Amino acid sequence: MIDYVGILAIVFFYILILVVGIWAGRKTADTVGEQTEEVMLAGRNIGTLVGIFTMTATWVGGAYINGTAEALYNGGLAGCQAPIGYALSLILGGILFAKKMREEGYVTMLDPFQIKYGQRIGGLMFIPALLGEVFWSAAILSALGATLSVILQMSMSVSVILSAFIAVFYTFTGGLYAVAYTDVVQLFCIFIGLWVCIPAALLQDKTTDLSRNASDWLGTIGGTRERFLWGDSMLLLIFGGIPWQVYFQRVLSSKTSSGAQKLSFVAGLGCILMAIPPALIGAIARNTDWELTDYEPWSNGTKVHSIPPEQTNMVVPLVFQYLTPKWVSFIGLGAVSAAVMSSADSSVLSAASMFAHNIWKLTIRPDANEREVIIVMRFAIILVGILATAMALTIQSIYGLWYLCADLVYVILFPQLCCVVYFHRSNTYGCLLGYIVGLLLRLSGGEPLLGFPATIHYPMYDEATQTQYFPFKSMSMACSFACCIGGSLLSEFLFKKGVLQPEMDFLGCVVNISTERIALPSDTSFNVSCETLAMQKMRSTTNNGSENSSLLPTNGGSTNGHPSASEMTALHPAYDAHHDYLSTDAR
């Protein structure tokens, strides 16, 4: 039977988020016309306090809450890795990348790749980044669908589709200003809603005292091979949680580089603190005799002592629905639903921003104006929403989605990001080699969640469960890292020592540098026409190899990771080589 009072609670929280989003979105509307930097980065005007809230709230969404509770219910505290892993990833991201990326003034996480390796080769990095954002969005939508299916008594599929429509509509109409300020409201909703529900759930007589059987909900890791798998998963969460556009979008929107670091550090601590309520909810569910409640998992009068495995992704809404009074469950369910909706727009906006700026603007149509880029971004929002919905309907385990969304990012993007930021001798050959090796090694290990069989059975492989206990994901990442560095050094040695002729440098990144790889700065690139690039390319073809090499440096088209003055002044005579061309002050 449909619970209309519960629906009203959801509607109230949705309206609250929507009103805040519309109010915050007016900051973008106050600018002279729609500017891509205003929509994507809120004009780089996000303060440290708001940045901390939006960074924390982005990670602490519905997937974080439901996934943490599900993991603790299934395997105890020892199996609940994601909160600690992602919190450490935020702290390490602040140490390694936040300050450096913000000082460079990039627009998206993919900018350094396209500046150093060229627009088209750098665009390959968009594939794992997009898949990561889609998987993450799917986990968010799946969490919201699980919540609404409990309240509205409708199927999971209908709930996910409805949730996706709401999230896409909200994202379509708002920019980063709206996302950031709704995240602040979201965090307060989560904090108040969860802590109101926990005491109510503990006070009823269907749950045993948590302290009496603490060893049960604390859980264990297992034997040797389980520990290898646990360690591999933890490394994946820590380092795979860094190269995300949803993270760098907040870092790059910060007013200062020091503020970008601070929000990363504090948000990491905030993630651990905000994991306490869902962890307690998972422990409560684990210590509850569900036969004493009105819970009927198959709606046929059959009751069970514990939640069936196929429904453990709904631990949080089930605790709210059956272990708390009605008015308390409305607060909890409404708060979680509003939180999920606010988190979904962050991930969808991040993927759409990368496509509009890095793929459409810098690769497909360099002469596109800002209005066209914004229109493309909004169409991309719809497409990403559709892809995320398909994933949410295909894979049921929220925690499985959580791991999967960081998988390709960890194996491919993390070593590439380290090389492009810190290893200045890296080039396109090393980049491609590391990309291909990492992808092949990762896929060779199989993926049960997607039905991919393992083509390589690593040590400790379990035939019965098709589980790779060997840490092959970390091995794949390490091999990708080594190939990126080794391939770059080897190609540089072979070309510069004359072992290979300059004309064999077909990627044009060591000695035969192509002018197609001229960096396009974000704030001025909208004024660079295709004709300008064509004239520069035509002019370079009349020169010999040595003159072409003198135009652009041999280090991947950059000097210490920066575009050289010669390549930039060729396009912009007024270009200042010492000026931060990607900062808001450049306009």
Side-chain angles (χ1 to χ4, degrees):
M1 180 178 177
I2 297 178
D3 193 335
Y4 293 101
V5 180
I7 294 176
L8 289 177
I10 294 294
V11 171
F12 171 78
F13 282 102
Y14 277 3
I15 292 176
L16 175 63
I17 294 296
L18 193 59
V19 168
V20 173
I22 293 173
W23 170 80
R26 295 178 62 184
K27 289 179 173 289
T28 302
D30 290 340
T31 60
V32 182
E34 285 189 304
Q35 306 290 324
T36 52
E37 192 172 89
E38 291 291 334
V39 176
M40 295 180 185
L41 296 177
R44 301 189 194 271
N45 198 34
I46 297 294
T48 303
L49 183 61
V50 175
I52 290 171
F53 276 107
T54 185
M55 181 75 83
T56 305
T58 298
W59 289 111
V60 185
Y64 191 95
I65 296 171
N66 285 19
T68 299
E70 178 188 357
L72 197 137
Y73 179 84
N74 288 331
L77 189 62
C80 188
Q81 297 177 265
I84 298 175
Y86 279 129
L88 291 175
S89 76
L90 287 172
I91 295 173
L92 285 177
I95 295 173
L96 298 175
F97 300 105
K99 185 175 182 180
K100 197 172 183 64
M101 295 282 281
R102 179 61 187 91
E103 286 177 346
E104 295 294 335
Y106 299 129
V107 177
T108 72
M109 175 186 70
L110 301 182
D111 281 353
F113 294 102
Q114 292 190 303
I115 289 175
K116 191 165 191 178
Y117 302 139
Q119 282 74 32
R120 290 165 179 80
I121 297 298
L124 284 176
M125 301 302 161
F126 174 72
I127 298 175
L130 172 66
L131 292 178
E133 295 292 352
V134 170
F135 294 154
W136 175 249
S137 301
I140 294 171
L141 292 173
S142 180
L144 185 52
T147 303
L148 292 182
S149 65
V150 171
I151 298 175
L152 305 179
Q153 299 297 316
M154 60 185 356
S155 69
M156 184 76 173
S157 299
V158 175
S159 299
V160 169
I161 293 173
L162 177 62
S163 306
F165 176 79
I166 294 172
V168 169
F169 175 79
Y170 175 76
T171 308
F172 187 87
T173 58
L176 187 59
Y177 268 124
V179 172
Y181 283 92
T182 53
D183 280 346
V184 175
V185 177
Q186 168 201 359
L187 204 59
F188 280 107
C189 287
I190 294 175
F191 186 82
I192 295 173
L194 293 182
W195 281 112
V196 167
C197 293
I198 287 174
L202 285 172
L203 291 175
Q204 43 78 38
D205 57 358
K206 305 176 184 67
T207 302
T208 60
D209 188 354
L210 301 184
S211 62
R212 291 183 180 178
N213 56 345
S215 59
D216 181 45
W217 60 268
L218 285 175
T220 58
I221 297 176
T224 302
R225 62 178 193 173
E226 284 79 11
R227 291 175 183 175
F228 273 107
L229 180 62
W230 190 93
D232 193 25
S233 300
M234 181 59 75
L235 290 175
L236 184 150
L237 291 168
I238 294 173
F239 296 107
I242 295 176
W244 288 77
Q245 170 62 13
V246 73
Y247 165 70
F248 282 106
Q249 194 159 37
R250 278 135 189 81
V251 167
L252 298 174
S253 66
S254 181
K255 288 182 178 179
T256 62
S257 58
S258 60
Q261 271 194 316
K262 290 177 184 177
L263 69 89
S264 295
F265 297 151
V266 179
L269 298 176
C271 283
I272 295 178
L273 294 177
M274 292 302 293
I276 296 175
L280 287 174
I281 291 173
I284 291 172
R286 192 178 175 92
N287 287 268
T288 296
D289 184 356
W290 289 92
E291 288 182 323
L292 302 177
T293 68
D294 296 330
Y295 174 54
E296 298 177 1
W298 300 287
S299 301
N300 59 359
T302 303
K303 292 189 175 183
V304 292
H305 178 71
S306 58
I307 301 174
E310 66 271 14
Q311 295 189 18
T312 55
N313 60 342
M314 295 191 291
V315 166
V316 172
L318 288 176
V319 169
F320 289 168
Q321 187 79 348
Y322 297 104
L323 299 182
T324 63
K326 279 291 183 182
W327 67 273
V328 176
S329 67
F330 294 158
I331 294 175
L333 291 169
V336 171
S337 299
V340 172
M341 184 180 68
S342 184
S343 293
D345 61 11
S346 301
S347 190
V348 173
L349 178 64
S350 297
S353 299
M354 286 189 294
F355 177 79
H357 175 72
N358 297 101
I359 303 302
W360 186 263
K361 171 61 189 175
L362 296 186
T363 305
I364 299 176
R365 279 182 54 83
D367 59 338
N369 57 32
E370 297 203 31
R371 183 173 180 274
E372 179 182 335
V373 173
I374 293 175
I375 292 174
V376 169
M377 184 185 70
R378 286 177 172 156
F379 274 108
I381 288 172
I382 298 175
L383 180 59
V384 172
I386 294 174
L387 291 175
T389 303
M391 289 295 301
L393 295 175
T394 303
I395 303 176
Q396 296 299 322
S397 174
I398 293 175
Y399 214 60
L401 273 175
W402 212 351
Y403 277 128
L404 190 58
C405 68
D407 227 14
L408 292 177
V409 175
Y410 171 55
V411 172
I412 297 176
L413 275 186
F414 176 70
Q416 297 286 352
L417 184 63
C418 290
C419 286
V420 78
V421 172
Y422 286 103
F423 184 54
H424 301 308
R425 295 174 64 183
S426 65
N427 57 42
T428 311
Y429 294 104
C431 168
L432 287 177
L433 181 61
Y435 190 106
I436 295 172
V437 169
L439 180 62
L440 292 179
L441 287 176
R442 173 59 193 91
L443 293 180
S444 68
E447 183 50 67
L449 287 172
L450 294 178
F452 291 159
T455 56
I456 298 179
H457 293 176
Y458 293 96
M460 299 180 290
Y461 180 76
D462 192 325
E463 292 281 357
T465 61
Q466 297 183 351
T467 303
Q468 299 273 16
Y469 287 98
F470 182 79
F472 78 100
K473 297 176 184 178
S474 296
M475 182 207 70
S476 301
M477 186 277 293
C479 291
S480 177
F481 211 148
C483 288
C484 188
I485 296 174
S488 299
L489 294 177
L490 179 61
S491 60
E492 180 182 311
F493 173 81
L494 293 176
F495 282 113
K496 290 190 174 181
K497 293 297 183 179
V499 179
L500 297 178
Q501 296 301 314
E503 55 267 19
M504 296 180 67
D505 184 13
F506 62 94
L507 292 179
C509 62
V510 180
V511 293
N512 188 27
I513 297 176
S514 171
T515 53
E516 292 181 356
R517 296 175 57 252
I518 296 176
L520 296 180
S522 67
D523 292 341
T524 56
S525 62
F526 293 105
N527 299 321
V528 180
S529 65
C530 286
E531 288 79 8
T532 305
L533 293 175
M535 289 175 60
Q536 173 67 17
K537 182 178 179 181
M538 185 182 300
R539 187 180 308 156
S540 66
T541 57
T542 61
N543 299 332
N544 56 34
S546 61
E547 290 173 333
N548 190 28
S549 300
S550 65
L551 174 63
L552 299 176
T554 58
N555 183 19
S558 63
T559 304
N560 295 328
H562 302 282
S564 66
S566 59
E567 65 177 344
M568 296 307 302
T569 52
L571 288 178
H572 305 285
Y575 170 73
D576 181 1
H578 302 288
H579 185 64
D580 182 8
Y581 62 85
L582 289 174
S583 70
T584 54
D585 297 333
R587 286 184 298 180

